Amino acid sequence: MALETSVRLKTLKGRRGLLLANLNRIPQRYYSQLVLDDFSYEDQKILCESEVTIIGCGGLGSPLAVYLVAAGVGKINLIDFDVVEERNLHRQVFYKESDIGRKKVEALKDYLINLDKEVEVNIYPVKSSEINFKKINSNLFFDCTDNLKTSFELNEEMVNLNKPICFASASEFNGQIIIFKNSKKEHCCYSCLFKESGDLETNHCVSLGVLGPAVAVIASMQSLIGMRFICGKFEETETLIRVDSSKFEIKKNRVFPDKSCRLNRL
């Protein structure tokens, strides 16, 4: 596929605009993506201009951030109040022993800047409940907290703000991913799928255990789904994707609106 190097670019703001203005860098840096039949120069520009927000920078959020920045996402917001612990290292492989005790968002920012000096990384070393999401205009939000209470809180925020969010979780050998568009025209959300009951504070990675590569599979799929959604190529929103890495099985289930959902105001 011939790579276009003569493209009229609109005026862009920020450091990523300088990257896009440098037409020679895009084909060189992202060549292996650009030669794909279903990935165009325009798609790469969309990624470079996009902004994402990741809530939770552990086993899911840290590799997700790395893959998105490596693919060209121009701005990334990292939200996590936690610090790196030794027990994290078997699955949170972008942290080092020397990072133990550091805020995860700080250590992850250093990694991302070393990966691509042009990326804009904003860090929030606080709980997601302390964030005013009205002021964050991301193309897609990612819930990587693996905590039901936080997921329900984020779901309500995104429904009220009509912002798309991709949920993911992993425990033992299993994981699941789903995107909700949260459009103004139709309602279908996380609360239509799961009911707010039981112990919402349970961390399944701690109580059930988890295998590092199984988490990596979910994070990789989440990054791929996110990239396709940002580029307008992911059509399976409101569809729960379940992965059993012990059997190498993937199952999909369409989620339908729950008319009794307390967040349904349509």
Side-chain angles (χ1 to χ4, degrees):
M1 181 183 74
L3 300 179
E4 295 181 18
T5 55
S6 179
V7 179
R8 182 176 298 176
L9 298 178
K10 65 181 181 180
T11 302
L12 300 167
K13 298 179 180 180
R15 290 186 299 161
R16 182 59 57 165
L18 297 176
L19 168 61
L20 286 177
N22 182 358
L23 296 183
N24 290 328
R25 186 185 177 190
I26 292 179
Q28 291 171 0
R29 188 174 186 101
Y30 306 111
Y31 173 82
S32 294
Q33 295 176 182
L34 293 169
V35 296
L36 293 169
D37 289 338
D38 193 32
F39 192 87
S40 68
Y41 196 98
E42 291 300 318
D43 293 328
Q44 188 63 61
K45 285 173 56 183
I46 289 171
L47 284 181
C48 288
E49 294 177 272
S50 68
E51 174 183 339
V52 301
T53 295
I54 297 176
I55 304 102
C57 297
L60 292 170
S62 54
L64 171 65
V66 172
Y67 274 117
L68 291 176
V69 168
V73 167
K75 181 177 179 180
I76 187 166
N77 306 307
L78 305 175
I79 301 172
D80 198 316
F81 68 94
D82 209 357
V83 298
V84 179
E85 300 178 60
E86 185 176 11
R87 65 185 179 88
N88 300 147
L89 299 182
H90 86 281
R91 67 188 185 280
Q92 300 177 23
V93 297
F94 293 100
Y95 300 123
K96 309 180 297 295
E97 287 188 348
S98 58
D99 291 323
I100 292 174
R102 293 186 69 192
K103 290 287 187 180
K104 289 183 179 180
V105 291
E106 295 175 354
L108 187 54
K109 178 179 180 178
D110 288 348
Y111 189 99
L112 297 175
I113 295 297
N114 284 326
L115 177 64
D116 184 351
K117 65 180 183 299
E118 300 291 346
V119 68
E120 180 180 344
V121 183
N122 298 312
I123 59 173
Y124 302 85
V126 297
K127 293 184 177 181
S128 59
S129 57
E130 300 176 51
I131 299 293
N132 184 354
F133 286 100
K134 290 181 180 179
K135 296 183 178 181
I136 300 179
N137 297 312
S138 290
N139 299 87
L140 183 59
F141 292 78
F142 294 89
D143 172 27
C144 300
T145 61
D146 218 355
N147 177 276
L148 282 173
K149 183 176 184 294
T150 303
S151 294
F152 281 116
E153 291 173 351
L154 290 172
N155 176 63
E156 185 165 358
E157 284 272 4
M158 299 304 146
V159 169
N160 291 336
L161 296 172
N162 298 117
K163 294 183 177 183
I165 182 168
C166 179
F167 294 93
S169 60
S171 63
E172 299 180 293
F173 297 93
N174 308 312
Q176 56 190 20
I177 310 164
I178 189 167
I179 287 184
F180 292 101
K181 298 190 300 294
N182 292 323
S183 68
K184 295 180 180 180
K185 297 181 179 180
E186 58 182 349
H187 175 84
C188 186
C189 75
Y190 192 77
S191 293
C192 294
L193 175 61
F194 298 111
K195 304 306 176 187
E196 298 181 50
S197 60
D199 185 2
L200 301 183
E201 293 284 4
T202 299
N203 185 318
H204 293 295
C205 282
V206 174
S207 60
L208 299 177
V210 67
L211 194 65
V215 181
V217 168
I218 303 303
S220 297
M221 291 181 65
Q222 193 180 16
S223 63
L224 180 59
I225 289 169
M227 287 168 57
R228 293 188 65 81
F229 179 85
I230 291 169
C231 293
K233 296 184 175 185
F234 187 72
E235 299 179 352
E236 293 186 289
T237 58
E238 290 77 43
T239 299
L240 182 66
I241 301 171
R242 294 179 295 156
V243 181
D244 183 341
S245 65
S246 67
K247 298 178 180 178
F248 299 98
E249 292 180 349
I250 297 177
K251 297 180 180 179
K252 300 178 183 179
N253 297 97
R254 185 80 168 90
V255 178
F256 296 97
D258 182 353
K259 294 182 180 180
S260 65
C261 176
R262 68 180 182 83
L263 301 178
N264 189 350
R265 298 182 180 88
L266 298 180

